[in-house]
Amino acid sequence: MNKRKAAASCWAALACLVVPMFASYFFDDMFSSLSQLFRNPELLELGWDSADYGFYAGGYSFLCVWGGLIVCGMLLDKWGVRVTGSIFVGMMTAGAALVTFAITSGMAPKTSLTVAYVGCTLFGLGSEIAGVGVTRSIAKWFKGRNMAFAMGLQLAIARLGTALALILSPMLVKAKAEGEIYTLLETAKPAFFGLALLLLGTVLWAVFVMMDARFDAQNGLTDRKERKEEDEFKFSDIFKVLSNKHFIMSALLCVFFYCSIISFKKFATSILIPRFDLPAESASLMVSLIPFSTVIFAPLFGSLVDKVGKGTRWMIAGSVLVLIAHIIIAFAPEGVSGFGYAGIAILGVGYSIVPAALWPTVSKIVPEKNLGTAYSLIYWIQNMGMLLVPIAVGFIFRNTESGKIAALHSEYVFLALCVLAIVVSLLYARSSDRNPDLGLDRANG
């Protein structure tokens, strides 16, 4: 295959890979710009309150935390991306279908919450393993071909799913006059839309599987690589990965950094509306600046990491920007929406920088045969935070009568996470300087 055809095939494969992730991001954030509705459960036929919503949102990480990601990461290394990825893309879609059923069935609120929680756990594990499969596939297809740029572009397009959810959900679930009830079908409109996207993503994943099989045949590869006995994956390799201090720093940075943004998005409108005296539609548009910023900046910073390196320094810069953003959101003068837009825009830029530097770095510190397990372990540790933080913030909102005070107290949680992310990124940079042989700050291209 000539270089032009090979490049075209790479971009076609990437196009198939981004759609399942785009759909996953949409479904995961379909209630994020509607979180303020759960402050008044008496107006929802669904009957959930803010703590129920936080509980549901945390369900995404339940199976991930209780070993699912580790076991499935091992399956990726054992069975390969095509088989394992297909199983979990299917699980992601099936989980979303169960959530959609639960919130439209008319069951009692606690029953519907339980069923939706189970669906969310399946969706979450499927989505995370599908994400690992996508990341590993990009690393394979773009090896020596601007890998960080490709990963940044995938993240940017996937996060457009979040942007679409933030903007579209309030349009689908239109604001009612005071005292009117939101019916089950009205509340579930974003879920129906997200499920349709996931079905499309499943079809395109099947197309990628066929492309990947042909790619291996043309290049004399197999999805499950034949290895010498000493190269075979062993359970003890998990402990080798976990004993790698650079891996631990990657994982800790991931959990602190991502929870300060992803968990924030789950309650962003509940925070921004009372802080800056905004209508729900304006708050949703404000939050959408986060994913829209990544569309521009994630590929840009990915390209910069490829060309100039300095990955650990980019991690510091991104973490500091997110801290500044949360300081603005928490302490800027009330009712001045310009500060809110500035804080969210800065948050979006920071959200673009750290992943562009972090994910390519993992491939430098972990042997290729354990890469699926390594990515899965990082997601596992990240999901511990994503399980607990939404629950904690949900309880803050349920148990605090004033929306403004609840918003401020919630921001304290996110500020603490940002400070921890900065500390870890500084330690990472110092370790990179002391271990230049690893090439953590070396350019990729």
Side-chain angles (χ1 to χ4, degrees), residues 305-443:
V305 171
D306 280 329
K307 292 179 180 178
V308 305
K310 305 297 181 185
T312 60
R313 272 58 183 180
W314 290 113
M315 295 176 198
I316 296 170
S319 299
V320 169
L321 284 175
V322 174
L323 175 63
I324 292 171
H326 277 296
I327 289 172
I328 292 171
I329 293 168
F331 302 114
E334 292 182 6
V336 183
S337 61
F339 285 108
Y341 281 107
I344 293 296
I346 294 170
L347 191 72
V349 176
Y351 192 26
S352 303
I353 295 176
V354 173
L358 177 62
W359 295 116
T361 300
V362 176
S363 63
K364 298 179 181 180
I365 60 177
V366 176
E368 185 177 356
K369 75 182 182 103
N370 301 136
L371 204 51
T373 301
Y375 282 128
S376 297
L377 285 168
I378 289 179
Y379 284 131
W380 173 59
I381 295 169
Q382 172 188 319
N383 274 274
M384 290 183 185
M386 291 173 60
L387 172 67
L388 298 174
V389 173
I391 294 174
V393 175
F395 273 103
I396 289 172
F397 274 99
R398 185 171 76 175
N399 296 324
T400 308
E401 193 168 322
S402 168
K404 291 182 180 180
I405 295 175
L408 181 58
H409 289 177
S410 298
E411 275 299 311
Y412 290 154
V413 175
F414 301 122
L415 287 166
L417 291 168
C418 291
V419 171
L420 291 170
I422 292 171
V423 170
V424 173
S425 60
L426 287 168
L427 292 173
Y428 212 150
R430 186 177 69 172
S431 185
S432 175
D433 292 340
R434 293 179 175 179
N435 299 273
D437 54 302
L438 292 175
L440 300 179
D441 284 316
R442 191 180 303 144

Side-chain angles (χ1 to χ4, degrees), residues 237-257:
D237 288 343
I238 290 178
F239 299 100
K240 290 180 182 178
V241 172
L242 289 173
S243 65
N244 183 326
K245 68 178 181 179
H246 295 101
F247 173 83
I248 293 298
M249 286 187 283
S250 296
L252 290 176
L253 176 59
C254 189
V255 67
F256 297 142
F257 180 81

Side-chain angles (χ1 to χ4, degrees), residues 248-329:
I248 293 298
M249 286 187 283
S250 296
L252 290 176
L253 176 59
C254 189
V255 67
F256 297 142
F257 180 81
Y258 274 92
C259 284
S260 72
I261 298 172
I262 294 176
S263 298
F264 166 77
K265 283 194 286 126
K266 298 293 184 186
F267 292 90
T269 54
S270 295
I271 293 170
L272 296 172
I273 288 173
R275 282 287 295 118
F276 299 106
D277 194 22
L278 296 169
E281 295 80 5
S282 298
S284 300
L285 289 172
M286 186 181 288
V287 181
S288 71
L289 286 177
I290 299 174
F292 279 128
S293 295
T294 65
V295 173
I296 300 170
F297 292 109
L300 172 63
F301 289 119
S303 182
L304 285 173
V305 171
D306 280 329
K307 292 179 180 178
V308 305
K310 305 297 181 185
T312 60
R313 272 58 183 180
W314 290 113
M315 295 176 198
I316 296 170
S319 299
V320 169
L321 284 175
V322 174
L323 175 63
I324 292 171
H326 277 296
I327 289 172
I328 292 171
I329 293 168

Side-chain angles (χ1 to χ4, degrees), residues 39 42 50 60 93 117 195 243 281 316 444:
R39 294 275 290 169
E42 68 278 3
S50 292
Y60 179 98
T93 304
Y117 187 84
L195 182 58
S243 65
E281 295 80 5
I316 296 170
N444 298 319

